[in-house]
Amino acid sequence: MGLLTALGFLTVLPVPAGASATPERVGRSQLYFPVVGLLLGLALAALYWLLLRYLPPLLAAALLLAVWEVLTGGLHTDGLMDTCDGLFGGGTPQERLEIMRDARVGAFGVLGAVLVLLVKFAALASLPLASAGALVVALTAGRWAMVAAIGWFPYARPAGAGAAFKAASRPGMAWLGLALALAVGWGFGRTLGLVAAAGAAPAVWVLGRFAARRLGGLTGDLYGAGAPLVEAGILAAAASGPWR
């Protein structure tokens, strides 16, 4: 049931009513976030392989990115936009947290989302067919980054949707997820894949430390923002050299 709950939260795919995504259920299901990333990565890699066989790389990359965002409901991109607005706006931690609550998107949010999506698009368009497995590594490590951020850093608000995630977090969740991400990295990219997956750990730590200093802790938006940043970094690495 935990896997179905995680799948229902992280994607737009329908799940049985008993696995509906209440904050408490989702918090307990975070152990399965990297598994959902693995499944999403396999599906997107298969789709990209198919698109590249019949379409030019630029068009294939654009279509894949569109499917990617639709399939995940824009959840992580939304968190990224709120995170950018909050981290780079306001003068105090409380002001920054209030900015992040605002449903409106500011200039920093738009700029952050555009830049990350642009990196993903450029990396996908440069990714050879034989390196489509990098998508599996990126999606798995990206969802693991959420679990690590929840477990490694304090929650910034006295209450909120992210509080259920933090309350349900256990130390072993992040390490089990990292083991899966490393195994996927080796399986789909050998040495470079392993290094790229391992690089997600210091990336989460640096981002989390920076955000904790700015906000006094992390929020639900920041949990989600780590995924696209890690994904963009791994795809950029895969597009920059021989993946296998």
Side-chain angles (χ1 to χ4, degrees):
M1 191 62 73
L3 177 58
L4 290 176
T5 299
L7 191 66
F9 176 68
L10 294 173
T11 74
V12 297
L13 298 175
V15 296
S20 57
T22 64
E24 291 74 21
R25 283 200 183 107
V26 174
R28 293 193 298 269
S29 75
Q30 63 187 274
L31 177 64
Y32 297 95
F33 284 8
V35 180
V36 173
L38 171 60
L39 297 175
L40 285 172
L42 289 170
L44 289 174
L47 176 60
Y48 198 46
W49 181 86
L50 184 64
L51 290 172
L52 280 176
R53 288 178 64 87
Y54 299 103
L55 297 174
L58 290 178
L59 181 56
L63 290 175
L64 184 80
L65 198 53
V67 172
W68 188 341
E69 288 297 312
V70 170
L71 192 57
T72 58
L75 176 69
H76 309 297
T77 302
D78 179 69
L80 176 65
M81 290 190 291
D82 288 339
T83 293
C84 290
D85 279 337
L87 288 181
F88 301 106
T92 66
Q94 188 57 40
E95 288 176 352
R96 296 178 189 122
L97 288 171
E98 287 303 315
I99 289 172
M100 293 175 73
R101 282 189 186 276
D102 195 333
R104 294 170 295 183
V105 179
F108 287 120
V110 172
L111 184 60
V114 168
L115 288 176
V116 171
L117 289 172
L118 186 61
V119 169
K120 283 187 176 182
F121 170 74
L124 287 170
S126 305
L127 203 63
L129 188 61
S131 299
L135 278 160
V136 187
V137 182
L139 269 292
T140 305
R143 299 309 173 278
W144 169 80
M146 300 176 66
V147 182
I150 295 168
W152 290 352
F153 299 96
Y155 189 62
R157 305 184 193 276
F165 289 75
K166 185 62 181 177
S169 177
R170 299 293 181 269
M173 289 180 171
W175 300 116
L176 283 173
L178 180 58
L180 174 61
L182 293 176
V184 171
W186 176 257
F188 286 89
R190 292 298 184 264
T191 302
L192 183 55
L194 181 66
V195 171
V204 171
W205 182 254
V206 170
L207 174 63
R209 292 276 293 180
F210 173 72
R213 286 198 299 268
R214 299 283 288 176
L215 302 172
L218 271 59
T219 68
D221 287 321
L222 271 154
Y223 296 158
L229 292 172
V230 167
E231 290 163 354
I234 290 177
L235 290 177
S240 301
W243 183 245
R244 299 188 68 88

